[in-house]
Structure formats: C-alpha cells, structure tokens
Amino acid sequence: MNLRNLLLPLGLLASAAHADPVTIESCGVSHTFENPPSRAITLNQQATEVMLALGLQDAMVGTAYMDDAIPEQWKAAYDTVPVLAEKYPAAEVVLAKEPDFLFAGFGSAFSEDNLGEATKWHDLGVGTYLVDASCKEKHPKDVPLTVEPIFHDIETVGKLFAVEDRAKDLVGTLKARLDAVTAAPAGEGQSAFIYDSGTDTPFSIGCCGGPALLSQLTGLKSISSDVPGTWVDLSWERVVAADPDVILLIEADWSTAADKRAYMEADPVLSELRAVKEGRFVTVPFSETLLGMRFADGVENLNDQLAGLK
C-alpha cells in the first residue's frame, strides 16, 4: 500500500504556516508540528487517557484499543470521540479520518503488521508519538523503570497542544499522590507473587516494567524481582518455594482476578500457601499497572488494599 498516494486526495500533505513550530522527539525519530494537532487519533488506552486528562478530546477524531473501561471522570469526554476499532484500526480507516497526529501506547502500533513505521507517517505529514515507557531503545526491558516517563509524556503532549499550564498542574498532582504513598508504603517488608494469567505455568513479572515499579512503590518485594524482563513465565515450584506474604492478582479481560483466585484455592498444593489460606489477595486492574494516567490510581489502590490486610 502506498500511503502517500492515499493521502494526496485528502490534502493531508499540505501544512499551514505557524510562527512557533514545535519539534517532538519520540523513540529515536522526530517530527515538527507547525501548529498544535487538531485531528489526533489515539491508539491504546494510555495515550487516550493522557489526552482526556489534559482536556484535549475536541482535538481527537478517533481512538482505538482499550484494555478496560474508561474511568468515570473521563467517560463523558471519551464518549464524544469516535471509536475506530476494538484493536488497532487498519491504515485505511485511519487515513479516512484525515489525521495530523497519531499517539500510541505500545510500539506494536507502529509495527508493519499494524499501522506501519512512524517515519512512513512522518513522510506523509502526519506526526506520531509513542508513550515514553514503551520505547525499548530508551527503556530496555532489563532496566528498572521510574515514574519519570509518565511526567515526560504529559509535559510533551502539553507542549505540543499548547496546554503547558494544564500539564504542569497535572504532573504536580500526580507527583504529590505518588510521594504520599512512598512516604508510607503499606507493603514494606512483605514478599509478593504477582499473578497475571496461566495455569500450567504462571505468567508473572520480572525485575522491570510498570508492574514491578508498582509493587516496589508500595514496599512489596516480588518473588521474581531477580528475573530479567517485564512479563515472564515462572514455575509453580518457584511460587510454592517462596510462599509469599501477598498474592497480587492482575484484573484483566483475558484472565480475571476471580478466576485466578479460584484456581489457586482449588489446587491441592497452591491452596496450602499461607497467603491463600489466609486470603491475603490484592487486585489491581491491568491498565493501572501501565505508566500512564492511571498508574497513581494503581499505586494508591494497591497501598490501600495492603493496609487493609490482616
């Protein structure tokens, strides 16, 4: 498919002059915007929620690929934006919306299997931005993350859309919320098994990535913190040997917390773990483990649950 030929009839290759162009660098590529985007499309929930939190829904002409429900505080704004696809939309669907900006939460959005490389869109005059934490070149999967990528995204998008004051206020609020938890982490000194999915082998977390940072900020010590990577396959033997103080269940459409808990409680070996026998389960939605607008929600949510455990 020749995207340039498809864009020509839509007139997307022309750009209006602007006195103060803004250049945005994202994961090794950059694009200069002559004006704040007015026809943005978000791909993945993290990107969508950054836009909504900054009050930029009127600049959006489409969104796609939600992991779960949009929080009530942004629901009315979200409902004004067309949903283009359940997962990633086809390039032709995106082109039909005449976008000037594509904002993605995962690098897979710009793979050849989906929308194609970001530079291809840049050549057509369509800017792109990838959530900072998802850039593997900048944040290798075996290097622990910090919360800074969240603030970087908000500040970058705020600058791009000329809403720097909103971005500054939002960053300040999120930092204060996270600082309040790290000042009194309820999980301090406790070990935890983070359970995403799987029964034959448990899919869990490694040393790094958003879920590992979430656990760390609340004081928990993951039983797999020494394993490289973000998401990893463990063995049930490792879980049994660790006999963790807490079991953190990831709530997801593909594997609910209730199903995982029921599996562990029914298993003759796993049911003997201290945390299972004592009901020391906590639950965090998948989207609250990602370094986005809801990460602070996840940290607070987890900390409150840990404080409530006996």
Side-chain angles (χ1 to χ4, degrees), residues 1-15 31 91-92 94-96 98-99 115-127:
M1 177 182 63
N2 189 317
L3 296 182
R4 176 172 287 272
N5 290 341
L6 285 171
L7 274 178
L8 280 169
L10 299 176
L12 292 181
L13 297 180
S15 59
H31 185 77
E92 293 84 354
V94 172
L95 288 167
E98 304 184 21
L115 297 183
E117 294 180 5
T119 52
K120 292 183 178 180
W121 292 93
H122 294 180
D123 290 343
L124 301 170
V126 181

Side-chain angles (χ1 to χ4, degrees), residues 80-94:
T80 68
V81 183
V83 176
L84 305 184
E86 181 180 353
K87 300 296 184 182
Y88 289 124
E92 293 84 354
V93 172
V94 172

Side-chain angles (χ1 to χ4, degrees), residues 37-52 56-66 70 77-90 93-105 115 126-127 161:
S38 61
R39 300 188 62 80
I41 291 176
T42 55
L43 309 158
N44 308 117
Q45 190 147 354
Q46 313 98 293
T48 299
E49 291 177 350
V50 170
M51 294 288 286
L52 297 178
L56 297 172
Q57 61 272 9
D58 290 344
M60 298 170 65
V61 296
T63 187
Y65 215 144
M66 298 296 102
I70 291 287
Y78 174 75
D79 287 343
T80 68
V81 183
V83 176
L84 305 184
E86 181 180 353
K87 300 296 184 182
Y88 289 124
V93 172
V94 172
L95 288 167
K97 301 300 291 186
E98 304 184 21
D100 54 8
F101 180 53
L102 304 180
F103 181 11
L115 297 183
V126 181
F161 284 87

Side-chain angles (χ1 to χ4, degrees), residues 175-200:
K175 284 184 176 180
R177 291 171 61 191
L178 291 168
D179 287 346
V181 172
T182 56
E188 191 68 45
Q190 299 183 67
S191 61
F193 163 50
I194 292 79
Y195 189 8
D196 175 82
S197 57
T199 53
D200 291 341

Side-chain angles (χ1 to χ4, degrees), residues 51-266:
M51 294 288 286
L52 297 178
L54 287 170
L56 297 172
Q57 61 272 9
D58 290 344
M60 298 170 65
V61 296
T63 187
Y65 215 144
M66 298 296 102
D67 292 307
D68 55 33
I70 291 287
E72 190 61 34
Q73 62 180 320
W74 302 317
K75 184 66 165 59
Y78 174 75
D79 287 343
T80 68
V81 183
V83 176
L84 305 184
E86 181 180 353
K87 300 296 184 182
Y88 289 124
E92 293 84 354
V93 172
V94 172
L95 288 167
K97 301 300 291 186
E98 304 184 21
D100 54 8
F101 180 53
L102 304 180
F103 181 11
F106 292 113
S108 55
F110 298 123
S111 70
E112 286 302 322
D113 291 337
N114 294 307
L115 297 183
E117 294 180 5
T119 52
K120 292 183 178 180
W121 292 93
H122 294 180
D123 290 343
L124 301 170
V126 181
T128 65
Y129 184 75
L130 174 65
V131 164
D132 189 72
S134 293
C135 178
K136 295 178 181 178
E137 292 81 1
K138 190 172 181 181
H139 302 288
K141 65 180 182 179
D142 57 349
V143 176
L145 281 171
T146 70
V147 295
E148 290 305 316
I150 302 173
F151 310 139
H152 178 80
D153 291 336
I154 296 169
E155 290 166 350
T156 299
V157 175
K159 178 181 179 181
L160 177 59
F161 284 87
V163 291
E164 291 96 333
D165 287 345
R166 291 185 212 169
K168 181 179 179 180
D169 290 345
L170 193 54
V171 167
T173 298
L174 292 176
K175 284 184 176 180
R177 291 171 61 191
L178 291 168
D179 287 346
V181 172
T182 56
E188 191 68 45
Q190 299 183 67
S191 61
F193 163 50
I194 292 79
Y195 189 8
D196 175 82
S197 57
T199 53
D200 291 341
T201 57
F203 195 51
S204 184
I205 68 167
C207 65
C208 310
L213 179 60
L214 178 83
S215 303
Q216 174 193 329
L217 293 178
T218 59
L220 293 176
K221 173 71 171 180
S222 167
I223 65 167
S224 49
S225 61
D226 60 333
V227 180
T230 301
W231 297 100
V232 298
D233 284 310
L234 296 183
S235 68
W236 285 120
E237 289 78 9
R238 183 180 183 126
V239 177
V240 171
D243 196 15
D245 298 310
V246 177
I247 297 171
L248 194 166
L249 305 172
I250 303 295
E251 178 64 58
D253 289 343
W254 56 88
S255 180
T256 69
D259 285 346
K260 288 189 281 282
R261 178 168 181 166
Y263 175 77
M264 295 191 75
E265 291 176 334

